Amino acid sequence: MDASTQQPEQNNMTAPNGGGEREVILEARDVTVSFGDKTILENLSLDVYRGEILGFVGGSGTGKSVLLRTVLGLNKKQSGTIKLLGVDLDGANERTRMAVDMRTGVLFQHGALFSALTVLENIQVPMREYLDLPPKLMNELARLKIDLVGLPQDAGPKYPSELSGGMIKRAALARALALDPAIVFLDEPTSGLDPIGAADFDDLVKTLRDTLGLTVYMVTHDLDSLFSACDRIAVLGKKRVLVDGTIEDMLKSDEPWVKSYFRGKRARQIDLEARETA
Amino acid sequence: MLTKAEDGASADAQLQDNADIAVTEDGDGVTCTFTGPWTTHSVAQVDAGMRELENRDGVRSLRLDLGQVSSFDTAGAWLIKRLAQKQANKGADVDFVNASDTMAILLDAVDEMAKFEDAPVTAGRFDWLAPFEIVGRNVASLGTDFLAGMHILGSTIRGAQMKLGRGHAINPAAIASQIDKMGVGAIPVVVLMAAIVGAIIAQQGAFQLRYFGAEIFVVDLVGILIMRELGVLLTAIMIAGRSGSAITAEIGSMKMREEIDALQVIGLNPVGVLVFPRLVALVIALPCLSIIANFAALGGAMFVAWSYSGIPPQAFIDRLRESIDLSSILAGLIKAPFMAIIIGIIGSVEGMKVGGSAESLGRQVTTSVVKSIFIVIVVDGLFAMFYAAINF
């Protein structure tokens, strides 16, 4: 593979689900990850298509976070290939890797905002690093992101330690979106938010997908999010993707864990509501 | 919907393009045609041009043609919306032409922000009073720090009990493990440092005393200096750097993650659980380390006296026995527990002051080490004056 074909494709104006063959933005094939002699993921394969919101569920300790970290290159994998934006990061040089980094955004579970910087400065970190923007424009764009994620403007000069949990989530999302990425990874974005805030967050993710053509990979346990925001759901279990499909597929599935997850007491209520509104 | 960017060849050509604006004027009507990619990565080039357009006066109608934009995101939308809003405020009629659906949604999304007026930037002016303000704040914080230190000392002396005096949670295992960490672990570095300093003093003393033919008195010099002052002072400084910083960092990071609050609500006294074992361990460990440092320094001095001045170890020890007595040894060792308490308390007080950020943790650790070394030296000076006054 030469360098020119390794370039990640640019953001074009294709509307999400624009018909025809859907473009694969993240492709994992036969990924195996183990720590010591404990295998966490074995021969896992997964496709994420451009412009979709993929919800990722699985019991505690099944390796959702490990997979996310492996995709992001924070964990080593024993075998398999992962292509992000059409680029295999294992064989990529520094330049292509940076180009991919610029087009991915990550929201870590606890926000991972830099505690020594204000919210505004946090959002500007990727801009400062990758783009040569005039300071005034950079301020405007950072404030735009603050507005976009539904934070009040007076949150900008605050430090992360002065923010509530929900605000930290939003500020972290604003930082993930700083460069208008093609794909964002969200690790439990609605955990710790009140139901109204969580619903707002789901709407926000959907709006961003519709406007920016964003692809969203969301690890979540929030059934509301899964029912209302996700186009497709993948279930992790037994070291691989057990099932993937729409919420209807999940409800039909015979897999015991999936059954108890989506047809349990807590799910039934939401299911009813979803059907009524549908 | 834009189809231009979708077919391969022209898409590549488009990507090479830069964002650009073509302005055509027709009387007091202006048409702006935007071309190329208008994304976060490209807007830097057109920002200045857009600001110029925004500030143009006398525009009656403004047509914004988005038909030739190859890619578009919030940054591009923001620049165009900013232009539209500024000109609309000046009374121009603004029209968007050829905007696709997704563009319209994006332009709507940034709408709220465009109305937001730029807050006036308050530039940091140079203030002549600023240095005095800093001094004043430091003096005031000295007072509160002293009170906080006394508070910790007070609760430690009262003991490590739980709230309401239930149970005496003195944990011998915790104290022993702290002694191991802060005392035993420090032995190699203390020995090495003390031996080198002892050797240096012996060499310098011998060199000067050689002029008077009184080289044997280097034993008196080294013996008294090390026993009364240097052994304990050097050890205290080393421990302040080694364990004082560790205490601040441990307590500080627990404070950052609300672990101190957790102790409190579980019904434990954070001072009792965290500070008490460390303080007790320091009070035990520092005198022991001082004794070890004394031996090491004398060993270093003895070696130099032998190799540099030709004083054999036997003569060195005989002379030492005459020059120092129990009071010289005690004069040094009495200071050790006080210094241990100072290091422990300053470390804890600074740890408790850590706020939410990693930066504040670093700042407090630095403050803790600097303060404890400074105060240890000051206290050593006070002891010297006290001993002189009572002829000890």
Side-chain angles (χ1 to χ4, degrees), chain B residues 133-159:
Chain B
E133 187 192 324
I134 294 168
V135 172
R137 278 184 196 285
N138 279 335
V139 171
S141 78
L142 214 63
T144 50
D145 281 0
F146 181 75
L147 276 182
M150 287 302 113
H151 174 79
I152 284 181
L153 184 61
S155 16
T156 312
I157 287 172
R158 194 154 166 252

Short mmCIF file of all heavy atoms in Angstrom, two decimals, chain B residues 133-159:
data_model
loop_
_atom_site.label_atom_id
_atom_site.label_comp_id
_atom_site.label_asym_id
_atom_site.label_seq_id
_atom_site.Cartn_x
_atom_site.Cartn_y
_atom_site.Cartn_z
N GLU B 133 0.09 43.01 46.61
CA GLU B 133 -1.06 42.13 46.82
C GLU B 133 -0.57 40.70 47.07
O GLU B 133 -1.04 40.02 47.98
CB GLU B 133 -1.97 42.17 45.61
CG GLU B 133 -3.26 41.40 45.84
CD GLU B 133 -4.03 41.19 44.55
OE1 GLU B 133 -4.02 42.10 43.71
OE2 GLU B 133 -4.63 40.12 44.41
N ILE B 134 0.42 40.28 46.28
CA ILE B 134 0.94 38.92 46.43
C ILE B 134 1.55 38.73 47.82
O ILE B 134 1.29 37.74 48.51
CB ILE B 134 1.98 38.62 45.33
CG1 ILE B 134 1.29 38.61 43.97
CG2 ILE B 134 2.67 37.30 45.59
CD1 ILE B 134 2.22 38.61 42.80
N VAL B 135 2.35 39.73 48.24
CA VAL B 135 2.97 39.65 49.57
C VAL B 135 1.90 39.58 50.65
O VAL B 135 1.96 38.74 51.56
CB VAL B 135 3.90 40.86 49.79
CG1 VAL B 135 4.40 40.89 51.24
CG2 VAL B 135 5.07 40.83 48.83
N GLY B 136 0.89 40.44 50.50
CA GLY B 136 -0.18 40.47 51.49
C GLY B 136 -0.90 39.14 51.59
O GLY B 136 -1.15 38.61 52.67
N ARG B 137 -1.20 38.58 50.41
CA ARG B 137 -1.90 37.28 50.40
C ARG B 137 -1.05 36.20 51.05
O ARG B 137 -1.57 35.35 51.79
CB ARG B 137 -2.21 36.87 48.95
CG ARG B 137 -3.44 37.54 48.43
CD ARG B 137 -3.80 37.06 47.05
NE ARG B 137 -4.75 37.98 46.45
CZ ARG B 137 -6.02 38.03 46.78
NH1 ARG B 137 -6.50 37.21 47.68
NH2 ARG B 137 -6.81 38.92 46.22
N ASN B 138 0.26 36.23 50.77
CA ASN B 138 1.13 35.22 51.36
C ASN B 138 1.18 35.33 52.87
O ASN B 138 1.17 34.31 53.57
CB ASN B 138 2.54 35.34 50.78
CG ASN B 138 2.64 34.67 49.43
OD1 ASN B 138 1.87 33.76 49.14
ND2 ASN B 138 3.56 35.12 48.60
N VAL B 139 1.23 36.58 53.38
CA VAL B 139 1.26 36.77 54.83
C VAL B 139 -0.03 36.25 55.44
O VAL B 139 -0.01 35.53 56.45
CB VAL B 139 1.46 38.26 55.17
CG1 VAL B 139 1.27 38.48 56.67
CG2 VAL B 139 2.84 38.71 54.74
N ALA B 140 -1.16 36.57 54.79
CA ALA B 140 -2.44 36.11 55.32
C ALA B 140 -2.52 34.59 55.30
O ALA B 140 -2.99 33.97 56.26
CB ALA B 140 -3.58 36.71 54.50
N SER B 141 -2.02 33.98 54.22
CA SER B 141 -2.12 32.51 54.14
C SER B 141 -1.18 31.85 55.13
O SER B 141 -1.42 30.72 55.57
CB SER B 141 -1.82 32.03 52.72
OG SER B 141 -0.43 32.03 52.48
N LEU B 142 -0.10 32.56 55.51
CA LEU B 142 0.80 32.05 56.54
C LEU B 142 0.02 31.80 57.83
O LEU B 142 0.18 30.76 58.48
CB LEU B 142 1.90 33.08 56.79
CG LEU B 142 3.29 32.56 57.13
CD1 LEU B 142 3.83 31.77 55.96
CD2 LEU B 142 4.21 33.73 57.46
N GLY B 143 -0.86 32.77 58.16
CA GLY B 143 -1.67 32.65 59.37
C GLY B 143 -2.60 31.47 59.30
O GLY B 143 -2.67 30.65 60.23
N THR B 144 -3.31 31.32 58.16
CA THR B 144 -4.28 30.23 58.07
C THR B 144 -3.56 28.89 58.03
O THR B 144 -4.03 27.91 58.61
CB THR B 144 -5.16 30.38 56.82
OG1 THR B 144 -4.31 30.59 55.69
CG2 THR B 144 -6.12 31.54 56.94
N ASP B 145 -2.40 28.85 57.36
CA ASP B 145 -1.63 27.60 57.33
C ASP B 145 -1.21 27.20 58.73
O ASP B 145 -1.26 26.02 59.10
CB ASP B 145 -0.36 27.77 56.48
CG ASP B 145 -0.68 27.69 55.01
OD1 ASP B 145 -1.87 27.51 54.69
OD2 ASP B 145 0.24 27.84 54.20
N PHE B 146 -0.78 28.19 59.53
CA PHE B 146 -0.34 27.89 60.88
C PHE B 146 -1.50 27.30 61.68
O PHE B 146 -1.34 26.30 62.38
CB PHE B 146 0.19 29.17 61.55
CG PHE B 146 0.69 28.94 62.94
CD1 PHE B 146 1.92 28.31 63.14
CD2 PHE B 146 -0.04 29.34 64.04
CE1 PHE B 146 2.38 28.09 64.42
CE2 PHE B 146 0.42 29.12 65.32
CZ PHE B 146 1.64 28.48 65.51
N LEU B 147 -2.68 27.92 61.53
CA LEU B 147 -3.86 27.41 62.23
C LEU B 147 -4.18 25.98 61.80
O LEU B 147 -4.45 25.11 62.63
CB LEU B 147 -5.06 28.31 61.95
CG LEU B 147 -5.18 29.55 62.83
CD1 LEU B 147 -6.43 30.33 62.48
CD2 LEU B 147 -5.21 29.14 64.31
N ALA B 148 -4.12 25.74 60.47
CA ALA B 148 -4.42 24.40 59.96
C ALA B 148 -3.42 23.39 60.51
O ALA B 148 -3.79 22.27 60.90
CB ALA B 148 -4.39 24.40 58.43
N GLY B 149 -2.15 23.80 60.58
CA GLY B 149 -1.12 22.91 61.12
C GLY B 149 -1.38 22.59 62.58
O GLY B 149 -1.29 21.43 63.00
N MET B 150 -1.76 23.60 63.34
CA MET B 150 -2.05 23.39 64.75
C MET B 150 -3.26 22.48 64.92
O MET B 150 -3.32 21.65 65.82
CB MET B 150 -2.31 24.74 65.44
CG MET B 150 -1.07 25.58 65.65
SD MET B 150 0.17 24.71 66.63
CE MET B 150 1.43 24.47 65.43
N HIS B 151 -4.22 22.64 64.00
CA HIS B 151 -5.41 21.80 64.04
C HIS B 151 -5.03 20.33 63.87
O HIS B 151 -5.47 19.46 64.61
CB HIS B 151 -6.36 22.23 62.94
CG HIS B 151 -7.56 21.36 62.79
ND1 HIS B 151 -8.64 21.44 63.63
CD2 HIS B 151 -7.83 20.37 61.92
CE1 HIS B 151 -9.53 20.54 63.29
NE2 HIS B 151 -9.07 19.87 62.24
N ILE B 152 -4.16 20.10 62.88
CA ILE B 152 -3.75 18.71 62.62
C ILE B 152 -2.93 18.17 63.80
O ILE B 152 -3.14 17.04 64.26
CB ILE B 152 -2.96 18.63 61.31
CG1 ILE B 152 -3.93 18.74 60.14
CG2 ILE B 152 -2.15 17.36 61.22
CD1 ILE B 152 -3.30 18.66 58.79
N LEU B 153 -2.04 19.03 64.33
CA LEU B 153 -1.23 18.61 65.47
C LEU B 153 -2.14 18.27 66.65
O LEU B 153 -1.97 17.24 67.31
CB LEU B 153 -0.24 19.72 65.84
CG LEU B 153 0.73 19.40 66.96
CD1 LEU B 153 1.60 18.22 66.58
CD2 LEU B 153 1.59 20.60 67.29
N GLY B 154 -3.13 19.14 66.86
CA GLY B 154 -4.07 18.93 67.97
C GLY B 154 -4.82 17.63 67.82
O GLY B 154 -4.89 16.81 68.75
N SER B 155 -5.36 17.38 66.61
CA SER B 155 -6.14 16.14 66.46
C SER B 155 -5.24 14.92 66.52
O SER B 155 -5.68 13.85 66.91
CB SER B 155 -6.95 16.14 65.16
OG SER B 155 -6.52 17.09 64.27
N THR B 156 -3.97 15.10 66.16
CA THR B 156 -3.06 13.95 66.26
C THR B 156 -2.75 13.63 67.71
O THR B 156 -2.74 12.47 68.12
CB THR B 156 -1.75 14.25 65.53
OG1 THR B 156 -2.06 14.76 64.26
CG2 THR B 156 -0.92 13.00 65.37
N ILE B 157 -2.51 14.68 68.50
CA ILE B 157 -2.17 14.46 69.90
C ILE B 157 -3.36 13.84 70.63
O ILE B 157 -3.21 12.96 71.47
CB ILE B 157 -1.75 15.79 70.57
CG1 ILE B 157 -0.36 16.16 70.07
CG2 ILE B 157 -1.76 15.65 72.08
CD1 ILE B 157 0.10 17.51 70.48
N ARG B 158 -4.56 14.26 70.23
CA ARG B 158 -5.75 13.70 70.86
C ARG B 158 -5.87 12.22 70.51
O ARG B 158 -6.54 11.46 71.18
CB ARG B 158 -6.99 14.46 70.38
CG ARG B 158 -8.16 14.15 71.25
CD ARG B 158 -9.19 15.22 71.30
NE ARG B 158 -10.36 14.62 71.90
CZ ARG B 158 -11.45 14.32 71.23
NH1 ARG B 158 -11.53 14.60 69.95
NH2 ARG B 158 -12.46 13.75 71.83
N GLY B 159 -5.22 11.81 69.44
CA GLY B 159 -5.21 10.39 69.11
C GLY B 159 -5.97 10.12 67.84
O GLY B 159 -6.63 10.98 67.29
#
